[in-house]
Amino acid sequence: MLFRQLFDQESCTYTYLIADTDSKAAILVDSVLEQVERDLKLLKELGLTLRYCVETHVHADHITGADKLRAVTGCLGIVPSHAQVSCADRHIADGEHLTLGAITLTAIATPGHTDSHMAYQVDNRVLTGDALFIRGCGRTDFQSGNAGTLYDSVTQRLFTLPDTALIYPGHDYRGHTVSTIGEEKRWNPRFVNLEATDQGLRDRQSFIKFMTDLNLPNPKKMMEAVPANELCGRATVVV
């Protein structure tokens, strides 16, 4: 299996390229419109054929490259079930798979950052999108987000995976690239009460209060990105 982590500096977004080395079939997860040419160049250099362009959720901080990638490569656009994206080729549900040769990508429903969010597991790697960051998590104050739901998604779905599972987030703002489930269960300050003697998980209500009190500004591209992403990335932005 080929696995590459790609980065967009402006939005601090990670895009993931996964490919079956025998069939040369590939998946891109959470593409960025401004990075489409980079991604197409890499696919060509590696001799890969893009089969699926997958989203973890409808993004508010960048526009997906799905529509342009679909037009150039003929790939299928995949979004989480219940996402308000009528132009997608497929809505993937919890527990469903995308298979390319020896690779199986499994969807894990992790709502909370938005009301339709998926993490994706392939072997011992988990692409957590905005549900779980390295020492953080996505916000829950817009796009039908819900802090209690996110707490349940992370503690009941992601934190029940093996401690050795590698997590690859949708964003990072401090230079981190990868963590493990075990690390985040011990050191993630959003979910762990680091000031407590036993450093156990926060309870659900204290997590909700913590998230409610963040009082963050809206993403700069929110008014542009959300409607564009509901159209698979069709926008007037020129790459």
Side-chain angles (χ1 to χ4, degrees):
M1 180 178 73
L2 180 146
F3 182 90
R4 296 288 174 86
Q5 183 183 53
L6 308 169
F7 190 65
D8 175 63
Q9 188 71 43
E10 181 181 358
S11 62
C12 296
T13 297
Y14 283 123
T15 296
Y16 295 96
L17 171 64
I18 304 165
D20 175 58
T21 52
D22 291 329
S23 67
K24 300 294 185 179
I27 301 170
L28 272 175
V29 179
D30 286 347
S31 63
V32 176
L33 180 60
E34 289 81 1
Q35 299 294 345
V36 164
E37 298 306 324
R38 173 202 68 186
D39 298 342
L40 289 171
K41 182 174 183 288
L42 183 58
L43 288 164
K44 182 178 180 180
E45 288 173 347
L46 298 178
L48 302 175
T49 300
L50 185 63
R51 298 298 188 193
Y52 300 116
C53 191
V54 181
E55 308 294 344
T56 55
H57 62 292
V58 176
H59 308 280
D61 49 14
H62 71 273
I63 297 174
T64 177
D67 190 61
K68 187 170 183 180
L69 287 163
R70 186 166 56 179
V72 174
T73 68
C75 68
L76 299 181
I78 313 293
V79 301
S81 58
H82 309 302
Q84 300 301 306
V85 184
S86 60
C87 55
D89 296 292
R90 175 179 169 185
H91 286 69
I92 191 169
D94 181 47
E96 290 188 339
H97 309 291
L98 294 176
T99 301
L100 291 177
I103 294 172
T104 300
L105 192 79
T106 303
I108 305 173
T110 47
H113 170 62
T114 66
D115 59 357
S116 55
H117 187 289
M118 290 288 176
Y120 298 101
Q121 184 171 11
V122 54
D123 293 336
N124 70 323
R125 298 176 174 92
V126 186
L127 312 184
T128 54
D130 289 20
L132 181 64
F133 295 153
I134 299 172
R135 310 301 192 265
C137 66
R139 57 196 293 178
T140 58
D141 56 335
F142 57 80
Q143 282 188 278
S144 301
N146 184 286
T149 301
L150 180 60
Y151 180 87
D152 295 340
S153 292
V154 173
T155 59
Q156 297 176 22
R157 301 302 305 276
L158 298 179
F159 281 179
T160 58
L161 296 172
D163 283 355
T164 54
L166 300 171
I167 74 158
Y168 289 89
H171 298 279
D172 190 84
Y173 307 96
R174 292 168 293 178
H176 300 298
T177 57
V178 61
S179 182
T180 67
I181 291 294
E183 278 185 46
E184 298 310 308
K185 284 164 64 174
R186 183 175 181 185
W187 297 113
N188 192 311
R190 297 282 176 94
F191 296 94
V192 180
N193 188 351
L194 297 177
E195 298 177 358
T197 303
D198 59 0
Q199 291 190 4
L201 288 179
R202 293 180 185 272
D203 62 66
R204 193 172 189 269
Q205 287 305 312
S206 66
F207 176 81
I208 292 171
K209 183 178 187 306
F210 183 94
M211 297 299 291
T212 302
D213 291 345
L214 286 176
N215 194 28
L216 299 171
N218 284 336
K220 294 178 182 178
K221 287 191 174 182
M222 181 176 175
M223 299 306 292
E224 172 189 4
V226 172
N229 288 327
E230 289 175 343
L231 294 173
C232 299
R234 294 173 197 159
T236 57
V237 175
V238 178
V239 180

